[in-house]
Amino acid sequence: MKNVLDPSQNRVVIIGGGPGGYEAALVAAQLGGDVMLVERSRAGGAAVVTDVVPSKSLIATAEVMVDLGQAEELGIRLVEEDSDGQPREDDGRAAVRADLEAINARIHRLAGAQADDIRDALAAAGIKLIKGTGTLVGDRRVDIVEENGTEYTLDADTVLVAVGAHPRELPTAVPDGERILTWTQLYDLTELPEHLVVVGSGVTGAEFASAYNALGAKVTLVSSRDRVLPGQDEDAAEVLEQAFRRRGMTVLSRSRAESVERDDDGVVVTLADGRRVKASHCLMAVGSIPNTEELGLDAAGVQTEDSGHIVVDGVSRTSAPGVYAAGDCTNVMPLASVAAMQGRIAMWHALGDAVSPLKLRNVASNVFTAPEIATVGMQQAAYDDNRHDIETVMQPLQTNPRAKMQGITDGFVKIYARRGSGSVLGGVVVGPKASELIMPLTMAVENRLTVDQLSASFVVYPSLSGSLAEAARRLHHRGG
């Protein structure tokens, strides 16, 4: 795209280099803006350095361990051999273990490489990357303090705040980085925890509990609700919890953690009902807090919620003229994909390009557990309130021929459609690589396709995606 703006009249200052910030920067540079990106850590922000990239790299390793655990069912025997290449005279089975020090070293390398790639892309686009912090001090003015101590003020035509969030800490369970941990501190461990207690059964807690269980640690998941993943599809959460328990994980439902303390060789987690759980390590996964304190938002007239989240509209505008916000510091879904789209939309709007407001109904999300849980569009709660207008079907993966070949026993496909027209309104996929299988449903929701159009599309046989078409056909029969 040809730059059509005068950079001297379109200075864009972006505070925060995560997905919302760097994606916005690339769009602004493409549209001809004079772009300055302020980031206190590395390009990519916490999403790349301590959050999304590291956690999903750990989970990718855990997925291999899950596959190895199912190998015997597929007729594969892991045999330990002696120096002559002959099977040892024991039970003929080889032990597979996770080398956490090597796993975490690889995670750090991957995160660093991704940060470098983003930095290089920003530099190639002509964006000035400033390592330091930025604070709003008035009408589109930003005070900069660089890492080396240099201070100055930037006047901007457009400001984007994309400062992200950090793990919430409880005063009765203060992380020490050794035994009581947040999810940003896990990657410094050199040995697999003997017994890990995960406090919090939301997405973050469930993902790490699943991963460390697969890697071979004893895991206890403490949930204050009656089931894991209280914000997700109930059928999906039930399948996941059953899988957790079958793999030996202890799930303590309706159990609130009162405190976590160090003892001589580990931690003691005290529950509200007086029970005590002794373990080697504890991961606190009790939510996050936006990094909006001491950012000068009040002085700039930027409205925030009581939680500290910045209030934005559909095109990422705040209450202050010329100031936009994106990502986990806003009152919108805390997903990297949403943050990136918020940032792009902000720049398209600010720099006069064609733009449509953010459509949250079309957002696909995934819980990276084993099995994965992917969702898009309308979900169970909305269906329960509108059963006369909406129909649904759930197709178990166990009946899928490819699933049988791969030894997949947990999972399903669920589709929600408008009664009469058959328009696809949403869906859920539970199973291995659900994050990939959700794409056809995402396209159907985005483009308002019908179940008949979805089922008329050819699918490979055998394939897991065949269950999507089969579920769609079942809805056609129901619609008459």
mmCIF file of all heavy atoms in Angstrom, residues 49 65 108-109 117 120 159 174 186 206 222 230 257 260 267 278 285 309 337 346 359 419-420 472:
data_model
loop_
_atom_site.group_PDB
_atom_site.id
_atom_site.type_symbol
_atom_site.label_atom_id
_atom_site.label_comp_id
_atom_site.label_asym_id
_atom_site.label_seq_id
_atom_site.Cartn_x
_atom_site.Cartn_y
_atom_site.Cartn_z
ATOM 1 N N VAL A 49 7.403 -12.702 25.705
ATOM 2 C CA VAL A 49 8.504 -12.992 26.620
ATOM 3 C C VAL A 49 8.097 -13.901 27.771
ATOM 4 O O VAL A 49 8.837 -14.826 28.148
ATOM 5 C CB VAL A 49 9.097 -11.674 27.171
ATOM 6 C CG1 VAL A 49 10.231 -11.952 28.150
ATOM 7 C CG2 VAL A 49 9.595 -10.807 26.018
ATOM 8 N N MET A 65 4.146 -35.643 25.138
ATOM 9 C CA MET A 65 4.072 -36.612 26.231
ATOM 10 C C MET A 65 2.715 -37.310 26.253
ATOM 11 O O MET A 65 2.624 -38.512 26.511
ATOM 12 C CB MET A 65 4.333 -35.921 27.565
ATOM 13 C CG MET A 65 5.737 -35.380 27.715
ATOM 14 S SD MET A 65 6.989 -36.671 27.847
ATOM 15 C CE MET A 65 6.742 -37.201 29.544
ATOM 16 N N HIS A 108 12.897 -20.373 26.413
ATOM 17 C CA HIS A 108 13.561 -19.066 26.421
ATOM 18 C C HIS A 108 14.143 -18.740 25.039
ATOM 19 O O HIS A 108 14.065 -17.590 24.581
ATOM 20 C CB HIS A 108 14.667 -19.040 27.479
ATOM 21 C CG HIS A 108 14.153 -18.898 28.886
ATOM 22 N ND1 HIS A 108 13.445 -17.789 29.308
ATOM 23 C CD2 HIS A 108 14.269 -19.713 29.973
ATOM 24 C CE1 HIS A 108 13.126 -17.931 30.592
ATOM 25 N NE2 HIS A 108 13.609 -19.082 31.008
ATOM 26 N N ARG A 109 14.693 -19.749 24.368
ATOM 27 C CA ARG A 109 15.247 -19.512 23.022
ATOM 28 C C ARG A 109 14.146 -19.141 22.040
ATOM 29 O O ARG A 109 14.302 -18.208 21.235
ATOM 30 C CB ARG A 109 15.986 -20.754 22.513
ATOM 31 C CG ARG A 109 17.292 -21.051 23.217
ATOM 32 C CD ARG A 109 18.136 -22.047 22.415
ATOM 33 N NE ARG A 109 17.439 -23.295 22.163
ATOM 34 C CZ ARG A 109 17.449 -24.344 22.975
ATOM 35 N NH1 ARG A 109 18.112 -24.286 24.125
ATOM 36 N NH2 ARG A 109 16.805 -25.465 22.669
ATOM 37 N N ASP A 117 12.455 -11.439 15.866
ATOM 38 C CA ASP A 117 11.749 -11.357 14.582
ATOM 39 C C ASP A 117 10.815 -10.151 14.548
ATOM 40 O O ASP A 117 10.727 -9.443 13.535
ATOM 41 C CB ASP A 117 10.953 -12.635 14.329
ATOM 42 C CG ASP A 117 11.844 -13.820 13.966
ATOM 43 O OD1 ASP A 117 13.022 -13.601 13.641
ATOM 44 O OD2 ASP A 117 11.350 -14.967 14.024
ATOM 45 N N ASP A 120 12.863 -6.945 14.268
ATOM 46 C CA ASP A 120 13.367 -6.747 12.913
ATOM 47 C C ASP A 120 12.258 -6.280 11.977
ATOM 48 O O ASP A 120 12.488 -5.432 11.100
ATOM 49 C CB ASP A 120 13.975 -8.055 12.390
ATOM 50 C CG ASP A 120 15.238 -8.460 13.146
ATOM 51 O OD1 ASP A 120 15.798 -7.607 13.870
ATOM 52 O OD2 ASP A 120 15.648 -9.643 13.025
ATOM 53 N N VAL A 159 -2.231 8.640 20.085
ATOM 54 C CA VAL A 159 -1.574 7.828 21.105
ATOM 55 C C VAL A 159 -2.353 6.527 21.252
ATOM 56 O O VAL A 159 -3.590 6.532 21.304
ATOM 57 C CB VAL A 159 -1.523 8.545 22.468
ATOM 58 C CG1 VAL A 159 -0.950 7.623 23.552
ATOM 59 C CG2 VAL A 159 -0.697 9.822 22.374
ATOM 60 N N VAL A 174 1.894 -14.722 48.656
ATOM 61 C CA VAL A 174 2.815 -13.866 47.909
ATOM 62 C C VAL A 174 3.849 -14.726 47.176
ATOM 63 O O VAL A 174 4.564 -15.510 47.804
ATOM 64 C CB VAL A 174 3.523 -12.881 48.848
ATOM 65 C CG1 VAL A 174 4.491 -12.004 48.058
ATOM 66 C CG2 VAL A 174 2.495 -12.016 49.578
ATOM 67 N N LEU A 186 7.446 -19.613 36.020
ATOM 68 C CA LEU A 186 7.590 -21.057 35.866
ATOM 69 C C LEU A 186 8.810 -21.445 35.034
ATOM 70 O O LEU A 186 9.369 -22.529 35.214
ATOM 71 C CB LEU A 186 6.340 -21.639 35.208
ATOM 72 C CG LEU A 186 5.071 -21.707 36.063
ATOM 73 C CD1 LEU A 186 3.876 -22.010 35.181
ATOM 74 C CD2 LEU A 186 5.212 -22.760 37.150
ATOM 75 N N ALA A 206 -6.114 -24.143 34.216
ATOM 76 C CA ALA A 206 -6.388 -25.426 33.568
ATOM 77 C C ALA A 206 -5.288 -25.790 32.581
ATOM 78 O O ALA A 206 -4.881 -26.957 32.482
ATOM 79 C CB ALA A 206 -7.738 -25.371 32.855
ATOM 80 N N VAL A 222 -6.984 -26.668 42.397
ATOM 81 C CA VAL A 222 -7.917 -26.118 43.376
ATOM 82 C C VAL A 222 -8.872 -25.167 42.668
ATOM 83 O O VAL A 222 -8.452 -24.147 42.113
ATOM 84 C CB VAL A 222 -7.170 -25.384 44.508
ATOM 85 C CG1 VAL A 222 -8.164 -24.781 45.496
ATOM 86 C CG2 VAL A 222 -6.216 -26.344 45.221
ATOM 87 N N PRO A 230 -15.115 -22.532 34.570
ATOM 88 C CA PRO A 230 -16.510 -22.113 34.759
ATOM 89 C C PRO A 230 -17.050 -21.205 33.662
ATOM 90 O O PRO A 230 -18.259 -21.128 33.467
ATOM 91 C CB PRO A 230 -16.467 -21.383 36.112
ATOM 92 C CG PRO A 230 -15.034 -21.007 36.313
ATOM 93 C CD PRO A 230 -14.238 -22.083 35.668
ATOM 94 N N ALA A 257 -8.831 -21.446 48.089
ATOM 95 C CA ALA A 257 -7.548 -21.366 48.777
ATOM 96 C C ALA A 257 -7.517 -20.127 49.668
ATOM 97 O O ALA A 257 -7.745 -19.012 49.193
ATOM 98 C CB ALA A 257 -6.408 -21.322 47.774
ATOM 99 N N VAL A 260 -1.247 -19.571 51.093
ATOM 100 C CA VAL A 260 -0.165 -20.454 50.665
ATOM 101 C C VAL A 260 1.100 -19.992 51.376
ATOM 102 O O VAL A 260 1.467 -18.819 51.304
ATOM 103 C CB VAL A 260 0.052 -20.410 49.137
ATOM 104 C CG1 VAL A 260 1.145 -21.398 48.735
ATOM 105 C CG2 VAL A 260 -1.233 -20.711 48.388
ATOM 106 N N VAL A 267 5.548 -26.249 50.086
ATOM 107 C CA VAL A 267 4.505 -25.279 50.408
ATOM 108 C C VAL A 267 3.352 -25.989 51.098
ATOM 109 O O VAL A 267 3.176 -27.203 50.979
ATOM 110 C CB VAL A 267 3.972 -24.575 49.136
ATOM 111 C CG1 VAL A 267 5.074 -23.777 48.451
ATOM 112 C CG2 VAL A 267 3.349 -25.579 48.170
ATOM 113 N N LYS A 278 -0.205 -30.281 51.253
ATOM 114 C CA LYS A 278 1.244 -30.109 51.207
ATOM 115 C C LYS A 278 1.746 -30.483 49.821
ATOM 116 O O LYS A 278 1.310 -31.480 49.234
ATOM 117 C CB LYS A 278 1.932 -30.973 52.264
ATOM 118 C CG LYS A 278 1.646 -30.548 53.699
ATOM 119 C CD LYS A 278 2.657 -31.146 54.666
ATOM 120 C CE LYS A 278 4.039 -30.557 54.412
ATOM 121 N NZ LYS A 278 5.029 -31.004 55.445
ATOM 122 N N ALA A 285 -2.873 -18.917 39.887
ATOM 123 C CA ALA A 285 -3.483 -18.523 38.618
ATOM 124 C C ALA A 285 -4.859 -17.945 38.918
ATOM 125 O O ALA A 285 -5.888 -18.555 38.613
ATOM 126 C CB ALA A 285 -3.572 -19.714 37.672
ATOM 127 N N HIS A 309 -9.253 -1.298 34.161
ATOM 128 C CA HIS A 309 -9.293 -1.508 32.714
ATOM 129 C C HIS A 309 -9.769 -0.242 32.001
ATOM 130 O O HIS A 309 -10.689 0.447 32.463
ATOM 131 C CB HIS A 309 -10.215 -2.670 32.362
ATOM 132 C CG HIS A 309 -9.695 -4.003 32.790
ATOM 133 N ND1 HIS A 309 -9.966 -4.538 34.034
ATOM 134 C CD2 HIS A 309 -8.913 -4.913 32.148
ATOM 135 C CE1 HIS A 309 -9.374 -5.719 34.137
ATOM 136 N NE2 HIS A 309 -8.734 -5.967 33.015
ATOM 137 N N SER A 337 -5.192 -12.381 19.955
ATOM 138 C CA SER A 337 -5.791 -12.104 18.652
ATOM 139 C C SER A 337 -6.693 -10.878 18.700
ATOM 140 O O SER A 337 -6.734 -10.082 17.754
ATOM 141 C CB SER A 337 -6.581 -13.320 18.171
ATOM 142 O OG SER A 337 -7.601 -13.662 19.111
ATOM 143 N N ALA A 346 -7.628 0.512 15.599
ATOM 144 C CA ALA A 346 -7.321 1.850 16.109
ATOM 145 C C ALA A 346 -6.575 2.676 15.070
ATOM 146 O O ALA A 346 -6.892 3.850 14.833
ATOM 147 C CB ALA A 346 -6.496 1.740 17.396
ATOM 148 N N LYS A 359 -15.967 -6.967 16.076
ATOM 149 C CA LYS A 359 -17.131 -7.845 16.234
ATOM 150 C C LYS A 359 -16.748 -9.004 17.140
ATOM 151 O O LYS A 359 -16.161 -9.987 16.692
ATOM 152 C CB LYS A 359 -17.600 -8.363 14.871
ATOM 153 C CG LYS A 359 -18.044 -7.266 13.906
ATOM 154 C CD LYS A 359 -18.383 -7.853 12.547
ATOM 155 C CE LYS A 359 -18.778 -6.770 11.558
ATOM 156 N NZ LYS A 359 -19.024 -7.330 10.199
ATOM 157 N N ARG A 419 -32.803 -21.461 13.807
ATOM 158 C CA ARG A 419 -33.890 -22.349 13.390
ATOM 159 C C ARG A 419 -34.588 -21.756 12.154
ATOM 160 O O ARG A 419 -34.900 -20.580 12.096
ATOM 161 C CB ARG A 419 -34.893 -22.510 14.531
ATOM 162 C CG ARG A 419 -35.882 -23.660 14.320
ATOM 163 C CD ARG A 419 -36.825 -23.794 15.515
ATOM 164 N NE ARG A 419 -36.095 -24.098 16.744
ATOM 165 C CZ ARG A 419 -35.692 -25.308 17.108
ATOM 166 N NH1 ARG A 419 -35.935 -26.334 16.307
ATOM 167 N NH2 ARG A 419 -35.047 -25.490 18.245
ATOM 168 N N GLY A 420 -34.787 -22.570 11.160
ATOM 169 C CA GLY A 420 -35.437 -22.101 9.927
ATOM 170 C C GLY A 420 -34.404 -21.814 8.852
ATOM 171 O O GLY A 420 -34.304 -22.544 7.874
ATOM 172 N N ALA A 472 -23.284 -30.703 10.803
ATOM 173 C CA ALA A 472 -24.091 -29.773 9.994
ATOM 174 C C ALA A 472 -25.219 -30.523 9.286
ATOM 175 O O ALA A 472 -26.340 -30.024 9.189
ATOM 176 C CB ALA A 472 -23.191 -29.051 8.989
#
